[in-house]
Amino acid sequence: MRPRVPWMNEVDDAILEFLRDLDVDGQPVALKSGAVHYNLVTEFGMLDKSLSTFSRRMTTLSDAGLLEKTESGKGSPYRITDKGRQYLDGDLEADDLELDDG
């Protein structure tokens, strides 16, 4: 079972699962928040959340080490990390997901 921490929500799981399932020859695909939002909201109708929510959540997931930016700067693409895959597989403890407040 996946660990749950107070800062995580349903958007986080959807983002991570979507990016986990996208890879080419075992390499994770990197997408901008707009592309993830478009697919999960418009194409698949899985969530009814704004683009700004996706942008915020992807930044938070990156801060927690579950996603990583592939470029510096605003609007950078993100890809899932090994830690993100471990979270989805239930191989992390809740303590491993705490955000650094500093």
Side-chain angles (χ1 to χ4, degrees), residues 7-22 28-37 40 53-71 75-88 92 96-97 99:
W7 63 264
M8 294 187 84
N9 63 38
E10 68 179 356
V11 175
D12 300 332
D13 283 341
I15 291 168
L16 290 168
E17 289 168 358
F18 180 70
L19 290 174
R20 174 196 55 199
D21 293 342
L22 294 176
V29 170
L31 293 174
K32 294 183 178 186
S33 57
V36 176
H37 173 266
L40 292 177
T53 295
F54 275 75
S55 296
R56 259 192 330 274
R57 299 315 304 161
M58 290 175 78
T59 297
T60 300
L61 291 169
S62 178
D63 291 344
L66 301 173
L67 295 179
E68 67 180 352
K69 283 186 173 187
T70 60
E71 300 172 359
S76 300
Y78 292 87
R79 68 177 156 231
I80 194 165
T81 62
D82 288 340
K83 184 176 179 180
R85 291 178 191 278
Q86 290 172 335
Y87 161 73
L88 291 174
L92 294 178
D96 297 323
L97 297 171
L99 290 173

